[in-house]
Amino acid sequence: MTVFSDRALRELSDPAVLGSLLLPAGDVDGSRVRTMLAATYDLSAARIDQVGSVHVRTVSLQRPLFPVGRQDGSWSQLVPSFTRTELTLTLPAPADPLWIDLLAGIDVTVVTEVDPSGAEAVLAKAFDTFTTLDEFRARFAFFDLDAFLAEHRISTVEELRDAFDYVVTEIQLRRPGTFDPDDPANRHTLPVTLAAVIADPFDLAAGLRATRLVREAAKGLTGPAPAGIPVDATEAYATAVVVAADGLPDGLTETDVEQLYGKEGVVSLFVPTT
């Protein structure tokens, strides 16, 4: 392990230092935290309005992650009587662990606008008073009437009316109330497990490959959904790449690195070398 890797491990083992890198002072948008949450949860029913705070609960260093392999087999016997046995094993591969340089348990407090979802009213009524095909077509604009008539060999509006019963259902969706970011009910805490790898020396591709391997090895592992908010956990870990702040190649800025990794759902953490 190089001098920078040792320094990064030492620096980030302090929960306060890690928390300040994830949500620097004055960062009103909380882009790193948002990347971390989006990589861990399905937020389609919740909009993160504000990132309030980050609390790093635990930090552990150099944690092995053992990929799980699947082995399928079958054995058949014909004599004296036919028997068949099928065996499936899901086993770790202890000879080839993936090393997570830093694994942190984090609580993120956010102000969230939640989609109220659901229907407020449902009204179903028969539609059998139409007198022309155009009237039917206008009522069911999403429906390919010509194809329907051809399929059922219908040529007149009378045949169409007599062939089936038609029902129109009107659904009024529940409307959200006025969002109040100061309402305590809109504050939620989302737990995240962050798996960070150190890119030393700096290598964009190597850092991205390392986080991809962590995600693939952890597929099928997810944590419980937080209570009181309609979000589902989609990944076991959010991932991050630790980079030397003053070790970037000429022409490449921290913003460039953060944007590239952010598009892939990976957080960038910059640690000085001195």
Side-chain angles (χ1 to χ4, degrees):
M1 185 170 288
T2 67
V3 174
F4 171 70
S5 295
D6 291 339
R7 176 180 176 81
L9 287 177
R10 186 175 68 252
E11 291 284 333
L12 298 180
S13 65
D14 183 341
V17 173
L18 178 58
S20 67
L21 286 180
L22 289 170
L23 187 63
D27 182 3
V28 295
D29 184 58
S31 58
R32 293 174 184 173
V33 176
R34 290 175 184 270
T35 298
M36 193 168 60
L37 293 176
T40 309
Y41 292 104
D42 177 3
L43 298 174
S44 58
R47 181 184 66 85
I48 304 299
D49 183 71
Q50 300 172 22
V51 176
S53 63
V54 169
H55 171 62
V56 180
R57 290 179 280 104
T58 60
V59 177
S60 58
L61 307 179
Q62 295 302 318
R63 292 290 299 271
L65 177 63
F66 295 99
V68 174
R70 180 185 177 94
Q71 298 178 355
D72 297 322
S74 63
W75 176 74
S76 299
Q77 177 182 330
L78 298 178
V79 178
S81 61
F82 178 78
T83 60
R84 179 178 177 84
T85 301
E86 295 184 353
L87 179 65
T88 299
L89 298 176
T90 301
L91 300 171
D96 302 301
L98 298 174
W99 286 98
I100 299 173
D101 293 318
L102 181 143
L103 192 67
I106 302 168
D107 288 332
V108 179
T109 301
V110 293
V111 177
T112 309
E113 182 178 14
V114 176
D115 185 344
S117 69
E120 194 169 76
V122 179
L123 176 63
K125 56 185 178 181
F127 181 65
D128 55 8
T129 58
F130 57 93
T131 57
T132 66
L133 294 178
D134 287 338
E135 185 181 352
F136 186 95
R137 184 179 285 107
R139 190 64 184 84
F140 299 98
F142 60 90
F143 186 64
D144 189 345
L145 178 59
D146 294 329
F148 180 80
L149 296 176
E151 179 182 356
H152 296 281
R153 299 181 180 179
I154 296 174
S155 58
T156 67
V157 66
E158 290 78 11
E159 292 175 345
L160 176 63
R161 190 167 46 241
D162 295 339
F164 301 98
D165 294 326
Y166 307 99
V167 177
V168 177
T169 301
E170 297 178 357
I171 301 175
Q172 181 178 343
L173 298 178
R174 188 174 298 144
R175 295 181 179 180
T178 302
F179 176 66
D180 180 7
D182 296 323
D183 187 346
N186 292 324
R187 297 183 69 86
H188 303 277
T189 298
L190 302 179
V192 177
T193 301
L194 180 68
V197 296
I198 300 174
D200 184 27
F202 175 76
D203 188 330
L204 277 173
L208 191 56
R209 284 197 297 265
T211 58
R212 284 280 187 267
L213 288 175
V214 170
R215 287 185 182 179
E216 288 299 319
K219 270 197 177 300
L221 303 176
T222 55
I229 183 171
V231 300
D232 294 322
T234 56
E235 298 283 348
Y237 305 133
T239 54
V241 176
V242 181
V243 178
D246 46 357
L248 300 179
D250 291 339
L252 196 63
T253 67
E254 289 187 8
T255 301
D256 296 330
V257 175
E258 195 150 13
Q259 288 179 347
L260 186 145
Y261 278 141
K263 289 178 182 178
E264 300 300 325
V266 178
V267 178
S268 303
L269 300 176
F270 298 93
V271 175
T273 57
T274 57

